[in-house]
Amino acid sequence: MDSLPTELATRTPISLELGTFATSLRVEDIPADVMDQAKRHMLDSLGIAVAASGFDYARRTIGAIHGIAGQGSHPVIGMPYRLPLRDAVMMNGSLVHGLDYDDTHSDAIVHASASTVPTALHMAREHGASGAEALAAYILGVEAASRIGAAAQGGFHQVGFHPTGMVGAFGCALTAGRLAGATPAQIGAAQGILLSMAAGSLEFLEDGSWTKRIHPGWAGFAAITATALARNGFKAPPAAYEGRFGLFRSHLQEKSPADLSRCTERLGELWEMRNNALKPYPCCHFNHVFADAALALRAAHGLRPEEIRHITVRIHPGQVKVVCEPEAAKKQPANSYDAQFSVHYAVASCLLRGRLSLDELEEEMIRDPRALALCARTSYETDATLNFPRYYGGELVIETTDGRVLRHREEMNRGSDGNPLTMADVERKFMENAGRQFSAAKARHILDLVMRLDAASDVMALTEALNG
C-alpha cells in the first residue's frame, strides 16, 4: 500500500483520462437511447425535487442556506427562492435526494442523478449552454460517478462511506468542467482537489438523521468550487484515484479490493446511463424487490395481517448493513427516514395496506401498531447467491398461522435495465410527485420542456418553470 504498482505509476492518471473524455465527447456521439434515458431520469429527478420541496426538512434547509447565501439568480425547485449558483445546486441536490426516491446505479450503489442533474442545469444556465449540452454534461457526470462507484465493488458502504455524496462530487467535476469550458488538465485537477472535499458518512443509518439528504447537493457545490480553483491554476494532486493516498486506498484501506479498470473501461462505448435504475418506491432501492414480493403474495393469496405468523427476508450480505441492521431500530423506525431504510417496514406496509408511497411514510402510518406488529414478526437471512450489486434481488418467505409457507423470489429489481419501468410509469410517477406542489397544467408543461430539452437553445425556460 506504500507505493503505486509500476503499471499504475506509468499510465495516464485516471482523472486526466476522464477529463479528456469530458472535453472530447460530442453530443452527436451519444447514442439516441442514452440521450432518451437521460431525459427520463432528469424528469424523474425533478419531479421528486418538487415533491420534496413541501417537506419540513426542505423548509429548514432553505432557511439555513438562504440565510447564509442571500439572494441570487438561480431558482430553487418548488420554492419561491433564488440563490447564488453553488447554493442553488446545494439546495436542489438535497431536494432530488431528500425523499430517497431517486435513481440508483446498481453496480456503483450511487444515486448519480441527485448531484449531476442540478449541477448540469445550473452550470448550463450560468454559462448559456444549450439543452443538449446540459444533457451531455449530465450524462458525463453519471458515467464518471457510476464507474468510480462500481470500482469500489460495494466497499465504500461496508466501511461507512456514502458514495452518493463522495463519488458524486467526482462525477460532477466532469459535468461542471464541461459546461465551464475547462481543459482536460483542469478537469483532472478538479478531481484532485475534490479528493480533499468529497465526503459522505452512513452514520445517519443509526437514527434516521437528515445528513444523507445534503450529500449530493454538497457534491455539486464542491465540484463547482474545485472546477473554479482548477481553472485558476490551483495545483492539485494528479493521482486522485490510484495514488498512495488516493480515493480508493485512503477510504477502503485493505478492507475491500478496488477494480480501478472500471473507472475508464470502454469510455464512449459502454454507457453506464443504461445501468441506472429508476425507483418505483420512495425508499432504499435494496427494499424494492421485497415490496414487490409482498404485494405479489398478498394479491395471490389474499393475505391478511392476522394470518401471518412469520416473515423472512432473504437478502444478499452486502445489503444487510443498510436495511437490516441494527435490527431493533429497523423493526421500530423512529421517523420517515428510518422507515425508508427498513426492509421490515417496507414489507409490513405492503402486506398491511397494499402499497408503499410517500403517504405511507407519514408519522401516523409508521407508528401504526399493526405495521409495527408485522415488523416485529420479520427477520432476515443472507443469500450470497443473489447477483448483487448488479441487481438488488431477493426472496420473501411468509409462514402463515395455518402452516403454509409462501415464497416469492425476484432476481432483478423493478426499474433496473433488466426489468425497466415503462415511459408511462415514469410519466405517472412524475405527475404524482410534481402534483403535490404544482398544478397538473404546470407539471405537464415541465414534462414537455424536459422531453424536448435536447432541442432547446438554453435551459432558462425549464429552470424558471421549476421555481415555486
Side-chain angles (χ1 to χ4, degrees), residues 374-394:
L374 284 172
C375 287
R377 298 201 294 274
T378 302
S379 62
Y380 74 89
E381 296 176 356
T382 59
D383 182 352
T385 68
L386 292 161
N387 189 16
F388 174 84
R390 185 64 186 85
Y391 296 110
Y392 307 149

Side-chain angles (χ1 to χ4, degrees), residues 38-317:
K39 290 187 286 187
R40 290 194 295 272
H41 283 247
M42 182 176 284
L43 179 72
D44 184 70
S45 300
L46 296 175
I48 297 162
V50 174
S53 67
F55 283 70
D56 182 50
Y57 94 87
R59 290 188 288 271
R60 294 179 184 274
T61 306
I62 189 63
I65 293 179
H66 187 259
I68 294 171
Q71 189 72 1
S73 61
H74 288 261
V76 174
I77 298 171
M79 307 181 91
Y81 292 90
R82 291 175 184 270
L83 294 168
L85 168 64
R86 292 181 302 170
D87 302 279
V89 170
M90 174 81 177
M91 184 66 212
N92 288 333
S94 76
L95 291 175
V96 175
H97 191 51
L99 301 182
D100 226 86
Y101 210 175
D102 48 321
D103 61 19
T104 311
H105 185 277
S106 300
D107 282 353
I109 324 175
V110 168
H111 303 276
S113 292
S115 55
T116 50
V117 165
T119 302
L121 287 179
H122 289 286
M123 285 294 285
R125 181 183 173 105
E126 182 80 1
H127 293 278
S130 69
E133 273 295 322
L135 283 165
Y138 160 53
I139 291 167
L140 281 166
V142 170
E143 290 297 311
S146 300
R147 290 164 174 274
I148 296 162
Q153 302 184 96
F156 288 136
H157 278 89
Q158 300 308 311
V159 291
F161 293 108
H162 182 218
T164 292
M166 186 173 66
V167 171
F170 295 98
C172 286
L174 275 68
T175 302
R178 165 86 175 211
L179 292 167
T183 66
Q186 289 168 344
I187 297 175
Q191 293 165 78
I193 295 167
L194 283 167
L195 190 56
S196 294
M197 296 181 174
S201 166
L202 291 178
E203 184 62 19
F204 71 89
L205 289 170
E206 296 304 302
D207 61 359
S209 301
W210 290 357
T211 48
K212 180 176 185 283
R213 288 169 158 147
I214 62 172
H215 290 171
W218 179 255
F221 187 106
I224 293 169
T225 305
T227 298
L229 288 166
R231 293 186 71 212
N232 206 45
F234 193 94
K235 186 171 176 58
Y241 307 106
E242 63 271 54
R244 182 162 64 103
F245 299 115
L247 178 68
F248 296 105
R249 291 178 175 224
S250 63
H251 287 68
L252 298 179
Q253 299 291 317
E254 295 182 350
K255 296 181 176 67
S256 180
D259 179 4
L260 272 64
S261 69
R262 292 293 300 272
C263 296
T264 55
E265 182 182 14
R266 296 172 61 194
L267 278 169
E269 299 176 25
L270 180 66
W271 294 91
E272 297 297 340
M273 187 81 231
R274 292 173 174 146
N275 298 325
N276 224 12
L278 292 168
K279 282 189 175 183
Y281 301 111
C283 61
C284 179
H285 229 135
F286 293 171
N287 291 337
H288 287 205
V289 292
F290 302 108
D292 278 344
L295 292 174
L297 290 174
R298 184 180 191 267
H301 301 281
L303 282 175
R304 300 188 309 275
E306 60 271 21
E307 295 179 286
I308 298 170
R309 188 180 73 80
H310 190 73
I311 303 162
T312 303
V313 167
R314 303 198 74 245
I315 189 169
H316 192 277

